[in-house]
Amino acid sequence: MTTLIDVYPSRLPHETTTPRQDPVVWSEPGHPGPLTAGALHSYEQDGFLAVDQLIRPEEVARYRAELDRMLLDPAVRADERAIIERRSGEIRSVFEIHRVSEVFARLVRDERVVGRARQILGSDVYVHQSRINVKPGFGASGFYWHSDFETWHAEDGLPRMRTVSVSIALTPNLDTNGGLMIMPGSHRTFLGCAGETPRDNYRKSLQMQDAGTPSDGALRGLADAHGIRLFTGPAGSAVFFDCNAMHGSGDNITPFPRSNVFIVFNSVENTAVEPFAAPVRRPEFIGARDFTPVR
Ligand code: 6CS
Ligand code: FE
C-alpha cells in the first residue's frame, strides 16, 4: 500500500502552521449546479457561503417534527450515535442522522443541498459525517474554536481539503442563542494543533474537544487577521463552509433552541485512508467508510 505524504502535519508536541495546499473550489468554471460564478468566488474568498432560504418553511416544519419525534424516542437516546450533554443529560448531538432517519436521508439527496456540494468539490460526493446539534437552550454548551479538517485529517484519515459542510437551521439562529461563528478567510491556513490524540478520543471530544484545540495565541492571530462572522437566520437558512474554516459556537443560555443539521460531503476523489495522527480509526458513524456516492 502506498503511504500518502502527510502535507498537513498536526497533533505534534508543538503547534504548527501550514499554508493551504488545495483549491477551495475544485470545479472548473461552468460546472453544472445551482451556484453562480459570483457565489463560488465568494465561497473561495471567505471559506463559506450563506443561503438565506435553502429549504422552505413548510419543509422545515417537517424536519423539525422529525427531530422532535427523535428526541422523544428512547431508542434514539440509547443509540451510541446520540451524544448526551454532560451537565443537563439532554441530547447534545445525534450522528449519522441520514441513516437514523429516512426524513433526513431525503435532505441529504436534495439537489439544493448535494448539488451545491458537487459543484464546490467538482466531483461526486459521499457523506463523511452527518449530525444534528440540538443545542436546546437553558445552558446547552457550545463548540469551542476548531477546524473540522484538522480532526477529519488527523483522526479520520481524510487526505486533502476537498470536503464541504452545510449547516441548515431547523430553528431560528438568533444573535443570542449560540449561532455558528466562522473566521472569514481562515480556511487558507492549516493550524496543526499541539498534543497527541488519545485512544478513543471521540468519547470525550464530541462532548468537549481537547486534542485538536488551537492555542489562544493562534486564535488571536487568526481573529486579528480575519475577524469573526456570526451567522443568524430563520429556520431553513443555511451556511456552506469549507472543511478548514476556523469556526465555533457559544453556549445557548436562552430558552430558544438553536438546532441545526450538519451534513459533511467529501469528494469521492478524497476518500478516507488511515488516520494521519491518531492511534486508531474513529467509529464509522463519525467518520464514514462507505464511500458510495450520494444519488
Ligand atoms: O469531531 C468531529 O468530527 C466533530 N466535531 C466538531 C466540533 N465539529 C465537526 C464534527 O462534528
Ligand atoms: Fe465543527
Side-chain angles (χ1 to χ4, degrees):
M1 182 180 89
T2 51
T3 45
L4 281 168
I5 308 292
D6 183 0
V7 296
Y8 295 116
S10 190
R11 311 282 169 101
L12 300 171
H14 304 292
E15 194 171 59
T16 58
T17 299
T18 307
R20 182 187 189 106
Q21 300 170 57
D22 291 299
V24 179
V25 173
W26 288 74
S27 59
E28 297 302 324
H31 186 287
L35 293 170
T36 64
L40 285 169
H41 178 69
S42 165
Y43 178 88
E44 197 278 332
Q45 288 296 306
D46 294 335
F48 58 75
L49 186 73
V51 180
D52 292 342
Q53 183 176 293
L54 186 66
I55 56 178
R56 294 184 302 277
E58 63 276 15
E59 295 175 287
V60 179
R62 196 165 61 238
Y63 291 118
R64 183 71 195 277
E66 174 67 357
L67 172 60
D68 293 344
R69 180 197 67 76
M70 288 168 52
L71 294 180
L72 292 172
D73 181 348
V76 171
R77 187 184 174 78
D79 193 309
E80 66 169 342
R81 293 171 291 188
I83 307 299
I84 306 301
E85 286 272 7
R86 269 205 206 129
R87 200 186 51 78
S88 64
E90 291 194 279
I91 292 181
R92 170 177 167 87
S93 305
V94 180
F95 277 81
E96 219 173 35
I97 192 72
H98 65 296
R99 291 193 195 285
V100 169
S101 157
E102 180 44 43
V103 173
F104 283 104
R106 276 203 295 278
L107 182 59
V108 165
R109 298 194 297 266
D110 189 310
E111 204 48 39
R112 292 168 291 178
V113 178
V114 68
R116 284 176 165 82
R118 290 196 193 104
Q119 202 175 358
I120 289 168
L121 301 181
S123 72
D124 268 337
V125 297
Y126 71 95
V127 177
H128 171 66
Q129 182 183 108
S130 72
R131 69 195 184 279
I132 287 181
N133 285 347
V134 184
K135 217 182 268 197
F138 301 107
S141 51
F143 295 79
Y144 193 67
W145 293 106
H146 63 282
S147 151
D148 291 337
F149 179 76
E150 193 279 341
T151 293
W152 296 340
H153 180 70
E155 299 190 54
D156 297 340
L158 297 195
R160 303 305 288 249
M161 297 177 181
R162 195 169 181 178
T163 319
V164 57
S165 291
V166 58
S167 164
I168 305 171
L170 298 179
T171 61
N173 282 209
L174 311 169
D175 47 15
T176 53
N177 65 344
L180 175 65
M181 295 181 285
I182 300 180
M183 297 185 190
S186 60
H187 62 304
R188 283 197 288 272
T189 304
F190 177 75
L191 191 67
C193 298
E196 261 190 9
T197 310
R199 182 173 287 274
D200 284 353
N201 182 45
Y202 75 95
R203 292 189 189 284
K204 205 167 75 62
S205 69
L206 299 181
Q207 280 184 324
M208 175 78 69
Q209 188 166 358
D210 188 3
T213 299
S215 68
D216 295 359
L219 286 173
R220 186 172 298 111
L222 286 170
D224 286 347
H226 301 292
I228 296 174
R229 164 86 183 269
L230 169 69
F231 290 89
T232 60
S237 61
V239 182
F240 286 78
F241 60 104
D242 179 79
C243 56
N244 189 47
M246 188 59 71
H247 68 288
S249 61
D251 293 355
N252 179 12
I253 60 170
T254 73
F256 312 120
R258 196 238 56 184
S259 302
N260 289 19
V261 52
F262 290 78
I263 305 162
V264 181
F265 293 103
N266 188 35
S267 168
V268 294
E269 310 296 330
N270 187 45
T271 52
V273 294
E274 288 312 307
F276 284 85
V280 291
R281 293 181 177 183
R282 297 201 294 177
E284 296 198 24
F285 71 83
I286 302 174
R289 291 282 159 170
D290 172 359
F291 305 141
T292 310
V294 173
R295 285 279 176 263

